[in-house]
Amino acid sequence: MKPKKIIILTIIVLFGIMGATVCCRHDISYQQICCIKNPDSKDNANTLFYPYGFALLHDSISLQSYRGINESTLRIADNVGQWDFEKYSYLITYGNNIERLSYSWLDTFIYDKSPSYAKCWKEGKQLLIVDYPGFNYRQHSPFNDNEIKGNDSIYVYRLPHSPFLRGLQD
């Protein structure tokens, strides 16, 4: 009878560890490296803010893609200075500074509103969860966030190199 209890207890502990790994939000350290006034801003401090509209850059190819979007993104990329993709990934947010960065498998399954062709399950990529002051990812829908107000700044953050992270519709 004793070996059965040990086996059952071991199975319960293993499921608990796996459940904690899947459900737990893993925080990501970050450092703000610059804040740039949005060149397209019309000096309106209460501009609309799109919390899911951020850029996540992991390598020089994604940087070149970002720079090629328009003149504004080219100016933003030039303002940062040196990009070190060996050690860091970069996050660019528009209209609000971040409060918390995290990821979890559970949140990727539940809150990822990307179309099926953009989901990268086979590649093991996880959704980057960005919480802003006054905005918690779990409490809002990407399609109904018109009440969130932002500012006229663009923020660039450096985080540990994390190529397994992605944004919505990335």
Side-chain angles (χ1 to χ4, degrees):
M1 191 74 159
K2 196 172 186 174
K4 281 186 179 180
K5 287 183 180 179
I6 292 173
I7 291 172
I8 291 172
L9 184 60
T10 303
I11 291 171
I12 290 171
V13 168
L14 287 175
F15 276 115
I17 290 171
M18 288 186 332
T21 301
V22 168
C23 297
C24 179
R25 281 178 74 175
H26 305 281
D27 285 334
I28 301 171
S29 61
Y30 60 89
Q31 174 189 11
Q32 181 178 330
I33 56 174
C34 71
C35 175
I36 306 161
K37 183 167 173 46
N38 188 345
D40 299 326
S41 168
K42 296 174 179 60
D43 294 325
N44 185 355
N46 289 320
T47 57
L48 283 179
F49 167 58
Y50 301 98
Y52 303 92
F54 57 82
L56 189 58
L57 309 174
H58 296 298
D59 53 29
S60 57
I61 295 169
S62 58
L63 175 62
Q64 290 306 319
S65 256
Y66 179 76
R67 292 171 63 104
I69 293 173
N70 60 35
E71 286 293 318
S72 296
T73 57
L74 180 62
R75 285 193 300 264
I76 293 165
D78 289 343
N79 262 331
V80 171
Q82 187 65 28
W83 299 82
D84 184 4
F85 291 110
E86 299 251 338
K87 296 180 187 174
Y88 304 106
S89 291
Y90 295 87
L91 174 69
I92 303 171
T93 64
Y94 306 90
N96 224 329
N97 56 338
I98 62 176
E99 191 171 80
R100 179 182 181 193
L101 287 177
S102 60
Y103 66 93
S104 81
W105 282 108
L106 180 67
D107 288 338
T108 300
F109 287 123
I110 293 175
Y111 299 107
D112 187 2
K113 306 296 184 197
S114 300
S116 60
Y117 65 83
K119 294 184 181 182
C120 305
W121 302 120
K122 295 177 192 170
E123 299 171 19
K125 295 203 173 199
Q126 294 187 33
L127 182 65
L128 176 64
I129 300 164
V130 182
D131 290 333
Y132 302 91
F135 174 85
N136 182 305
Y137 195 92
R138 293 179 174 179
Q139 297 171 350
H140 290 83
S141 159
F143 306 109
N144 190 20
D145 286 327
N146 295 332
E147 76 277 1
I148 300 172
K149 298 295 180 191
N151 57 41
D152 61 353
S153 296
I154 297 167
Y155 301 88
V156 182
Y157 297 92
R158 179 184 295 142
L159 36 138
H161 187 65
S162 309
F164 62 91
L165 294 175
R166 65 178 177 82
L168 287 174
Q169 297 184 22
D170 198 43

